[in-house]
Amino acid sequence: MSTRVPKVLTPDQAPIGESDAAEAKRFCLLYHEIISINYQGETRLMSLPEAYAALAENQVDDFPGLRPHQKHFWHATLCQIGAIAMVNEGIDDPPVEPEVWLQIIRNLTVGEFPDDEPWHLSVEDYTKPAFLQPAVSSAEKRADYKGEIFTPDEMDLPVGSKHHDIRNNNMRNATAEQWLFALVAKQTGGGYDGNRLFGSSRMNSGSGNRHGFSLTPSTRWGAHVSRDLQVLVNQHRGKDVNHLLLWTRPWDGGRDESLPLQQLAPLPLYVEVSRRIRLEADSKGSLKGRYATSRAPRIHAKEANGMTHDPWTITETEKSVTVSNAGFDYRQTSRYLDPTRFTLPSLARHVPTVDGDNQMHLVARAIVRGQGKTEGYHERTIPLGRGAARMFGSISEQARLHRAAQERLNIIAEVQSILSHAVKTYLQDGVSDGKTKAEHQKLIAGARRRVDQAMDPGFWTDLQEELESADPQRTKAEWCHQILVKQARDILNDVVRSGLCHGKEQYRATAEANDLFGRRVSNSSKLPEIPEG
């Protein structure tokens, strides 16, 4: 329950009245219904406070205007702004009333900006901020904004990717919502895009990525946002947070304007703006953007290497993790669970006072950047039973989960080795020894890859069955021989049916390959035996 009722707006703090020009609030997130939401088959447009209330009531099926790669940036921004507003007012649980959200969000800025400029997508006066758009110190500085942005996707992604059905500059009739989501992605998760175009402080380099790795009781938007809000509020209750909306501070891009990290505590909550961007509206209500360069990043965090206590970011010894092209496949995710090498973010920790003894989901999201390009979006949701969810609550239990996963990885690697040997034997007309021919290496690698593809979808479900089993050794052995080995045998049979060996040696090659596969499986000390009885 709320620990304190938010203060009521006084007359001099009231929002812009109906008698004022409609233009003044047409793009204001506090009052204008810009954000589209799907719920129970219907699509509605909502203001930001209405969206927060709908999330708190778990009445959001989807944000249909949101592109997949923008999900984490939108989620994180909602959670950070929401947590700042709740901590500022001493509220523990996400309010379900839009009016309360309007008051507590507005109270963050109304003292300095009574006309709510920090919540408008477009503000004509550049000496005042707009949403995620810092002001300039004087009107003359507006001339710095020489770069033009004609569409939101031009701002959102620096280069189109083969993994996306997205290409720059293809949204000529963009909505305000599309500009909003692109702005959020660029300002809170963008990377280095060239000279004096710096990226997010939350990454360990300009070609890194700000990924999401967190627990949620449900894959629904409302449950995920509400859970993260509760955890963040519990962690930062009573702290000074009113300085963490960084776009409300003027920024002219000078070297001496970089903000030291120590001024941004508590670090998990600060909402950054990595670029000097402004949106402008024409008389017809169409938006376009302008940008200026900066001589230094907005936040002085180069030495931190992304170690900013971002509550969704995995870290290693001295830097934040950059998710690779492997994304969150079963091998990579298992690797991240090793507590001797990686530290999970605070929102990937099981919090009993919030999470209870419930089933959870691990949600992982990342857009992978390369040098001057994006290399794909990766998203994975892993259902966790009660026991597995609790293992994310302590380092020792996390280590036990990692060891169990690593044991299975070792078993898979052994079966892949056996399969590779058998495929090689077949391709070489039944000869099992000798150097692998160059023309066979690709086929052998393909067979190994098929094992990974087959094991990946069910890896975590199968592992949890072992952890919850009364006889875990039997469960693991049955998985090995009835699922893994069977799959590898099927792959070998597919290779044999291809007839890729010399025709006259087909019978001998098939027999030798099958015999070697079966013999090595039976004799391997690295594969578990099914207990008797």
Side-chain angles (χ1 to χ4, degrees):
M1 298 294 293
S2 300
T3 56
R4 180 159 65 88
V5 176
K7 52 183 177 290
V8 178
L9 301 179
T10 59
D12 62 315
Q13 295 174 320
I16 297 172
E18 293 298 327
S19 60
D20 295 276
E23 296 295 319
K25 62 175 184 176
R26 177 172 51 184
F27 294 117
C28 184
L29 297 175
L30 296 182
Y31 311 109
H32 190 245
E33 295 172 342
I34 291 174
I35 303 164
S36 60
I37 286 175
N38 283 343
Y39 181 59
Q40 294 185 342
E42 295 184 0
T43 301
R44 287 187 54 197
L45 287 174
M46 294 185 175
S47 66
L48 183 61
E50 289 171 336
Y52 271 116
L55 288 165
E57 293 273 47
N58 206 15
Q59 294 180 353
V60 177
D61 294 335
D62 192 18
F63 290 95
L66 196 67
R67 288 173 164 180
H69 69 275
Q70 297 169 337
K71 284 182 183 178
H72 174 58
F73 308 124
W74 179 236
H75 173 89
T77 301
L78 284 173
C79 291
Q80 287 172 316
I81 292 174
I84 290 170
M86 290 171 63
V87 170
N88 190 57
E89 299 288 346
I91 297 174
D92 291 337
D93 296 325
V96 297
E97 305 89 356
E99 298 80 9
V100 176
W101 277 110
L102 172 60
Q103 290 181 25
I104 67 175
I105 293 172
R106 191 166 185 264
N107 284 345
L108 294 172
T109 57
V110 70
E112 188 174 0
F113 304 102
D115 288 334
D116 302 317
E117 289 93 347
W119 306 102
H120 288 241
L121 275 182
S122 176
V123 174
E124 185 177 358
D125 185 355
Y126 273 40
T127 64
K128 294 181 180 180
F131 184 69
L132 294 184
Q133 303 160 63
V136 293
S137 62
S138 64
E140 294 75 19
K141 292 291 183 180
R142 179 171 182 161
D144 292 352
Y145 288 75
K146 299 174 181 177
E148 293 185 296
I149 307 169
F150 295 103
T151 63
D153 54 319
E154 184 181 355
M155 173 171 61
D156 184 9
L157 287 176
V159 176
S161 166
K162 65 181 180 180
H163 296 274
H164 295 71
D165 185 19
I166 297 172
R167 292 295 180 267
N168 289 346
N169 206 21
N170 66 1
M171 298 171 67
R172 286 291 179 180
N173 298 308
T175 64
E177 178 185 41
Q178 290 169 324
W179 281 102
L180 167 64
F181 292 149
L183 182 67
V184 168
K186 174 60 74 176
Q187 293 289 50
T188 66
Y192 178 79
D193 285 336
N195 187 33
R196 298 184 178 182
L197 296 172
F198 298 96
S200 169
S201 63
R202 301 287 192 182
M203 309 186 307
N204 68 33
S205 71
S207 59
N209 44 54
R210 185 190 182 196
H211 57 268
F213 202 80
S214 61
L215 297 182
T216 175
S218 165
T219 56
R220 292 182 59 79
W221 270 93
H224 195 181
V225 169
S226 294
R227 186 265 180 182
D228 284 1
L229 280 174
Q230 288 180 294
V231 174
L232 290 172
V233 169
N234 287 348
Q235 291 171 344
H236 303 292
R237 185 184 293 111
K239 296 179 181 179
D240 180 15
V241 295
N242 213 17
H243 60 295
L244 300 178
L245 305 178
L246 302 192
W247 75 89
T248 62
R249 308 187 192 188
W251 181 29
D252 293 335
R255 293 186 186 278
D256 59 348
E257 293 181 272
S258 287
L259 302 172
L261 270 179
Q262 57 266 32
Q263 292 184 7
L264 305 180
L267 294 180
L269 295 186
Y270 73 81
V271 183
E272 74 176 314
V273 282
S274 59
R275 299 287 175 81
R276 300 172 66 200
I277 295 173
R278 297 292 297 218
L279 299 184
E280 298 179 346
D282 63 20
S283 59
K284 297 180 180 179
S286 297
L287 291 168
K288 71 174 183 178
R290 291 188 176 277
Y291 69 90
T293 59
S294 58
R295 292 181 175 272
R298 184 57 172 133
I299 299 173
H300 183 71
K302 183 176 181 180
E303 295 79 6
N305 293 319
M307 301 282 279
T308 63
H309 298 279
D310 186 21
W312 295 274
T313 296
I314 307 165
T315 58
E316 42 191 328
T317 308
E318 296 180 345
K319 62 181 180 179
S320 65
V321 163
T322 294
V323 176
S324 71
N325 279 334
F328 300 101
D329 66 16
Y330 74 105
R331 291 183 183 277
Q332 199 66 24
T333 306
S334 299
R335 181 170 167 258
Y336 291 146
L337 295 181
D338 183 355
T340 67
R341 298 184 60 192
F342 300 96
T343 299
L344 296 185
S346 61
L347 291 175
R349 291 286 177 205
H350 184 265
V351 182
T353 56
V354 175
D355 300 327
D357 189 25
N358 299 313
Q359 298 178 351
M360 302 290 284
H361 295 78
L362 177 64
V363 177
R365 296 169 176 154
I367 182 167
V368 178
R369 291 178 58 91
Q371 293 295 331
K373 63 181 184 299
T374 52
E375 296 183 348
Y377 175 69
H378 300 270
E379 180 172 351
R380 182 164 195 168
T381 299
I382 299 173
L384 301 172
R386 293 180 177 86
R390 289 194 300 270
M391 297 178 86
F392 283 80
S394 72
I395 298 297
S396 60
E397 284 297 286
Q398 179 191 329
R400 187 165 75 90
L401 177 60
H402 172 258
R403 285 195 299 272
Q406 189 59 51
E407 288 176 6
R408 290 208 171 201
L409 290 179
N410 293 339
I411 292 170
I412 293 172
E414 174 67 1
V415 171
Q416 286 177 311
S417 174
I418 293 171
L419 174 62
S420 297
H421 194 182
V423 171
K424 169 187 172 180
T425 298
Y426 169 76
L427 294 174
Q428 298 187 169
D429 300 335
V431 178
S432 62
D433 55 5
K435 185 177 180 180
T436 304
K437 296 180 180 179
E439 62 267 29
H440 296 159
Q441 290 176 354
K442 187 174 182 180
L443 293 169
I444 294 171
R448 294 177 66 93
R449 198 158 46 244
R450 285 185 60 187
V451 174
D452 282 330
Q453 292 168 348
M455 292 299 102
D456 186 79
F459 181 85
W460 295 103
T461 300
D462 293 339
L463 177 61
Q464 289 179 73
E465 288 181 4
E466 174 190 332
L467 294 171
E468 297 168 4
S469 173
D471 188 349
Q473 184 62 26
R474 175 179 291 277
T475 302
K476 178 165 59 179
E478 289 176 346
W479 162 80
C480 171
H481 293 281
Q482 297 174 10
I483 297 177
L484 173 59
V485 171
K486 181 181 181 301
Q487 183 66 51
R489 172 73 78 175
D490 289 344
I491 294 169
L492 175 60
N493 289 338
D494 286 345
V495 174
V496 167
R497 283 192 292 268
S498 69
L500 291 174
C501 74
H502 294 105
K504 64 179 181 180
E505 301 292 347
Q506 175 72 16
Y507 179 80
R508 175 173 177 265
T510 300
E512 290 291 339
N514 281 313
D515 179 68
L516 181 143
F517 183 89
R519 187 173 66 253
R520 284 198 57 183
V521 167
S522 298
N523 295 337
S524 176
S525 61
K526 297 180 180 180
L527 301 183
E529 296 182 4
I530 298 179
E532 296 181 0

